[in-house]
């Protein structure tokens, strides 16, 4: 789902939308899952709907986006299926890519037959109580947002309990391209997106609250980016849009075999650091990472919390003379 992003200017946008209602408890409140009507529905599997493409239309600086909230079976490990709550049938959802200054007119169609869903865009300034509100089963809602801050941000379902919606698969990446671009744009040869996230016992709210994840993965599963490595050729400068969707764990993102030349924290061109070995990404932390590969070989992309690598958080960047995959088994780490 996260394909090579060569030539940013040629991508109008690939958008994924997760609608969310932001619901916060005060310090004096206690969530009692057994008494919450939605929590009682979490453990119930639902019929799987096939993935669908988002509908996206641009008129000048106005972007119209239509997305779905739906339940779809996802393969999170070989022959391991998860009855996931999703946006458009994928977890993570499709990548949203717009430009600083665009106006988003976003419609969420809730195809889930039993639960409300919503959108929490981290990339916007908006009133949660009016623009991140629940869309009920079988209904749709339309909301308008301005994108005034460049960067790489999370979006997720924010319907209460938020933990259940994110842990069940409702999260994704929105890239708001800086109007003036990044100062390093002319150096970039290859671009990819990478989302770290966690899978727990299916639909178990107790597991989401109290247990360690069964899988920690990149781009939704523990095998896709080792069986089908990301590609580059010797001498390429690579840009990664990297994120940690959580919902609970941190990520210590690291590239084995090289040093990060530049890191833009949260993807903002003003937040630049140089020469990093590891980038700490809290839950909902994001970054733009750039580096140059000088030699042929397989470069593992991992979190340096290696218990999570053992649970699947590993990808491979394969570097060859011509930038093509030679088909050998990928290096493990």
């Amino acid at each position: 789902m996260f394909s090579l992003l060569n030539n940013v200017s040629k991508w109008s946008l690939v958008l994924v939308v997760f609608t969310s209602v932001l619901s916060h408890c005060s310090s004096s409140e206690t969530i009692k899952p057994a008494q919450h009507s939605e929590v009682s529905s979490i453990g119930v599997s639902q019929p799987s709907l096939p993935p669908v493409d988002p509908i996206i239309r641009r008129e000048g600086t106005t972007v119209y986006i239509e997305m779905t909230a739906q339940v779809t079976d996802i393969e999170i490990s070989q022959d391991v299926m998860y009855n996931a709550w999703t946006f458009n049938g994928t977890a993570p959802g499709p990548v949203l890519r717009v430009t600083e200054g665009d106006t988003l007119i976003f419609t969420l169609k809730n195809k889930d037959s039993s639960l409300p869903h919503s959108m929490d865009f981290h990339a916007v300034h908006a009133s949660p109580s009016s623009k991140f509100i629940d869309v009920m089963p079988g209904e749709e809602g339309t909301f308008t947002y301005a994108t005034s801050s460049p960067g790489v941000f999370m979006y997720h379902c924010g319907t209460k309990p938020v933990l259940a919606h994110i842990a069940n698969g409702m999260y994704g990446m929105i890239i708001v391209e800086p109007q003036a671009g990044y100062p390093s744009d002319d150096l970039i040869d290859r671009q990819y997106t990478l989302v770290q996230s966690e899978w727990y016992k299916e639909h178990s709210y107790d597991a989401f609250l109290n247990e360690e994840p069964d899988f920690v993965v990149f781009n939704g599963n523990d095998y896709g980016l080792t069986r089908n490595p990301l590609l580059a050729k010797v001498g390429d400068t690579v840009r990664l849009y990297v994120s940690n969707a959580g919902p609970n764990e941190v990520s210590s993102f690291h590239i084995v075999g090289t040093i990060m030349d530049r890191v833009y924290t949260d993807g903002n061109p003003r937040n630049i650091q140089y020469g990093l070995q590891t980038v700490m990404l809290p839950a909902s932390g994001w970054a733009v990472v750039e580096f140059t590969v000088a030699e042929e070989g397989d470069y593992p992309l991992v979190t340096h919390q290696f218990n999570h690598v053992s649970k699947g958080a590993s990808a491979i960047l394969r570097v060859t003379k011509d930038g093509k995959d030679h088909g050998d088994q990928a290096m493990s780490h």
Side-chain angles (χ1 to χ4, degrees):
M1 105 189 50
F2 294 96
S3 60
L4 172 65
L5 302 176
N6 292 322
N7 295 323
V8 177
S9 63
K10 293 184 180 179
W11 284 72
S12 57
L13 89 139
V14 183
L15 187 137
V16 189
V17 157
F18 295 1
T19 53
S20 69
V21 173
L22 187 61
S23 175
H24 293 294
C25 295
S26 71
S27 59
S28 62
E29 293 176 322
T30 302
I31 296 177
K32 298 180 180 180
Q35 297 180 10
H36 195 291
S37 60
E38 184 165 308
V39 172
S40 66
S41 302
I42 287 174
V44 179
S45 294
Q46 299 182 50
S48 176
L49 298 177
V52 296
D53 292 330
I55 298 173
I56 301 165
R57 177 170 56 91
R58 175 181 284 275
E59 294 183 359
T61 60
T62 300
V63 181
Y64 296 84
I65 304 144
E66 183 179 299
M67 307 295 295
T68 64
Q70 63 182 71
V71 176
T72 299
D73 290 337
I74 304 292
E75 188 176 39
I76 61 176
S77 187
Q78 184 173 352
D79 300 323
V80 178
M81 304 300 295
Y82 193 104
N83 188 235
W85 305 355
T86 77
F87 291 97
N88 287 75
T90 62
V95 175
L96 176 160
R97 194 173 192 123
V98 295
T99 301
E100 178 187 3
D102 282 346
T103 297
L104 306 185
I105 300 179
F106 167 68
T107 298
L108 179 70
K109 292 189 173 183
N110 188 359
K111 294 187 176 182
D112 189 324
S113 61
S114 63
L115 295 176
H117 296 291
S118 60
M119 162 58 95
D120 180 339
F121 275 122
H122 286 202
V124 302
H125 299 281
S127 168
S129 59
S130 61
K131 291 190 174 180
F132 292 173
I133 61 175
D134 283 345
V135 178
M136 303 309 290
E139 298 182 1
E140 63 181 69
T142 298
F143 311 93
T144 300
Y145 309 100
T147 60
S148 58
S149 298
V152 185
F153 302 96
M154 184 176 185
Y155 63 81
H156 62 86
C157 184
T159 298
K160 185 178 179 179
V162 177
L163 172 60
H165 288 259
I166 298 177
N168 276 314
M170 302 193 81
Y171 53 84
M173 176 186 291
I174 170 172
I175 301 171
V176 182
E177 293 284 354
Q179 277 191 342
Y182 292 96
S184 51
D185 280 347
D186 291 344
L187 305 176
I188 304 303
D189 299 296
R190 310 257 178 165
Q191 301 188 50
Y192 298 99
T193 56
L194 204 64
V195 178
Q196 179 176 319
S197 60
E198 304 141 30
W199 294 108
Y200 296 79
K201 181 180 179 181
E202 185 174 290
H203 302 318
S204 171
Y205 195 68
D206 182 69
F208 304 160
L209 279 173
N210 300 310
E211 296 180 11
E212 293 291 322
D214 293 330
F215 299 92
V216 182
V217 299
F218 287 142
N219 291 0
N221 60 64
D222 68 354
Y223 61 85
L225 294 179
T226 54
R227 291 184 188 173
N228 300 289
L230 306 176
L231 299 174
K233 65 181 179 180
V234 174
D236 276 352
T237 298
V238 179
R239 174 182 289 167
L240 300 177
Y241 296 87
V242 185
S243 62
N244 176 27
N248 297 327
E249 305 292 341
V250 300
S251 174
S252 301
F253 183 72
H254 177 74
I255 306 164
V256 180
T258 192
I259 298 167
M260 303 176 208
D261 298 322
R262 291 166 298 278
V263 174
Y264 300 98
T265 304
D266 280 335
N268 191 307
R270 293 176 294 181
N271 301 339
I272 187 168
Q273 295 175 287
Y274 300 94
L276 272 64
Q277 59 183 317
T278 300
V279 177
M280 178 62 75
L281 300 172
S284 87
W286 308 66
V288 170
V289 171
E290 298 175 352
F291 56 97
T292 300
V293 286
E295 299 179 354
E296 288 186 88
D298 284 354
Y299 293 70
L301 314 175
V302 299
T303 170
H304 219 279
Q305 294 163 249
F306 276 94
N307 59 329
H308 291 165
V309 176
S310 297
K311 292 183 177 184
S314 181
I316 294 294
L317 176 70
R318 174 159 289 168
V319 179
T320 59
K321 287 182 179 180
D322 58 5
K324 297 180 181 179
D325 190 0
H326 47 58
D328 290 353
Q329 184 174 352
M331 175 185 182
S332 60
H333 206 78

